[in-house]
Amino acid sequence: GAGVSQTPSNKVTEKGKYVELRCDPISGHTALYWYRQSLGQGPEFLIYFQGTGAADDSGLPNDRFFAVRPEGSVSTLKIQRTERGDSAVYLCASSLLLARYNEQFFGPGTRLTVL
Amino acid sequence: SQQGEEDPQALSIQEGENATMNCSYKTSINNLQWYRQNSGRGLVHLILIRSNEREKHSGRLRVTLDTSKKSSSLLITASRAADTASYFCATVMTGANNLFFGTGTRLTVIP
């Protein structure tokens, strides 16, 4: 079956602009996670959803970052007033159950470059 | 912030040799998972070991977990050139539901 998909695969924007990154999880997966990975580092947790609600957004770096999952499936990560330090690969993952029970399935990521 | 650290940061071996990577973490965990990443993009889950387990096998992979030392190791036996990738350990802390990744080990298998 189809895996987790993310669009766009690459996004180049200018400092100060607004961007939206989309994630389509595996059908039927109730948990959805966003991570950010900088060059040479491991992924860092941003936020996760259980169904439609954000169950834990403690990893969001500041209030410029926001994510939604209105129908419990597709999720959008929104970044306002982008800064050069936001440049990274943004990874989305989904799982049938929460991470305490089983593995997560990752998408290919969106590489965001802020000029 | 990163939860754990992998050791070594980079490892280069000949095809057919075994590769061992170590992971240390800081807090009490529910489980520990190992992931593989090619070319800095999508991660692939390899194996999950729960806090009450000490060892697990999957094909050429062997994972150990020592909760008293807060450490884990991943052994890849009879390595192949296709095993070249970055390997990350990730923990699910007790009471949490997300992964905390280590810094990764870059493995290069020379044909």
Side-chain angles (χ1 to χ4, degrees), chain A:
Chain A
V4 177
S5 63
Q6 292 186 248
T7 54
S9 57
N10 287 283
K11 176 70 176 177
V12 180
T13 190
E14 294 179 343
K15 181 175 179 295
K17 298 290 187 182
Y18 168 83
V19 297
E20 289 189 352
L21 311 179
R22 176 188 167 107
C23 172
D24 278 89
I26 293 173
S27 178
H29 281 193
T30 58
L32 185 147
Y33 302 78
W34 284 98
Y35 296 85
R36 177 169 75 170
Q37 186 175 25
S38 300
L39 191 63
Q41 300 293 314
E44 291 188 302
F45 168 73
L46 295 176
I47 184 172
Y48 91 87
F49 292 85
Q50 179 66 14
T52 60
D56 183 351
D57 64 357
S58 62
L60 295 178
N62 52 59
D63 61 6
R64 296 186 297 105
F65 289 75
F66 189 71
V68 295
R69 194 186 185 199
E71 298 178 357
S73 178
V74 171
S75 177
T76 304
L77 178 66
K78 307 180 181 190
I79 310 175
Q80 298 177 323
R81 304 183 304 279
T82 51
E83 300 177 356
R84 293 194 180 87
D86 299 335
S87 296
V89 175
Y90 289 80
L91 296 164
C92 175
S94 70
S95 62
L96 189 60
L97 299 172
L98 297 172
R100 69 173 70 176
Y101 300 116
N102 61 4
E103 71 270 28
Q104 298 180 10
F105 296 84
F106 281 81
T110 294
R111 185 178 300 279
L112 175 66
T113 303
V114 182
L115 301 177

Side-chain angles (χ1 to χ4, degrees), chain B residues 73-86:
Chain B
S73 68
L74 171 67
L75 169 68
I76 304 174
T77 61
S79 64
R80 305 166 181 168
D83 293 330
T84 294
S86 291

Side-chain angles (χ1 to χ4, degrees), chain B:
Chain B
S1 61
Q2 307 276 184
Q3 150 78 317
E5 292 185 1
E6 271 105 327
D7 169 54
Q9 290 186 335
L11 178 62
S12 184
I13 59 174
Q14 295 289 327
E15 199 165 33
E17 294 180 339
N18 296 341
T20 299
M21 288 160 269
N22 302 296
C23 166
S24 60
Y25 57 92
K26 300 173 184 174
T27 63
S28 174
I29 63 171
N30 177 281
N31 67 61
L32 185 146
Q33 305 181 27
W34 284 90
Y35 286 80
R36 166 197 166 120
Q37 186 176 44
N38 288 82
S39 305
R41 296 302 281 261
L43 290 103
V44 175
H45 178 265
L46 297 176
I47 198 164
L48 181 155
I49 185 164
R50 303 193 189 283
S51 60
N52 61 352
E53 298 176 309
R54 292 296 168 259
E55 188 171 312
K56 225 171 172 181
H57 297 255
S58 176
R60 294 185 295 114
L61 306 180
R62 173 178 171 257
V63 168
T64 62
L65 178 64
D66 187 335
T67 53
S68 67
K69 295 181 179 178
K70 291 186 170 57
S71 66
S72 174
S73 68
L74 171 67
L75 169 68
I76 304 174
T77 61
S79 64
R80 305 166 181 168
D83 293 330
T84 294
S86 291
Y87 292 82
F88 294 91
C89 71
T91 55
V92 179
M93 295 194 294
T94 302
N97 288 299
N98 54 282
L99 294 170
F100 284 89
F101 284 84
T103 50
T105 293
R106 174 69 190 171
L107 173 66
T108 302
V109 181
I110 303 166

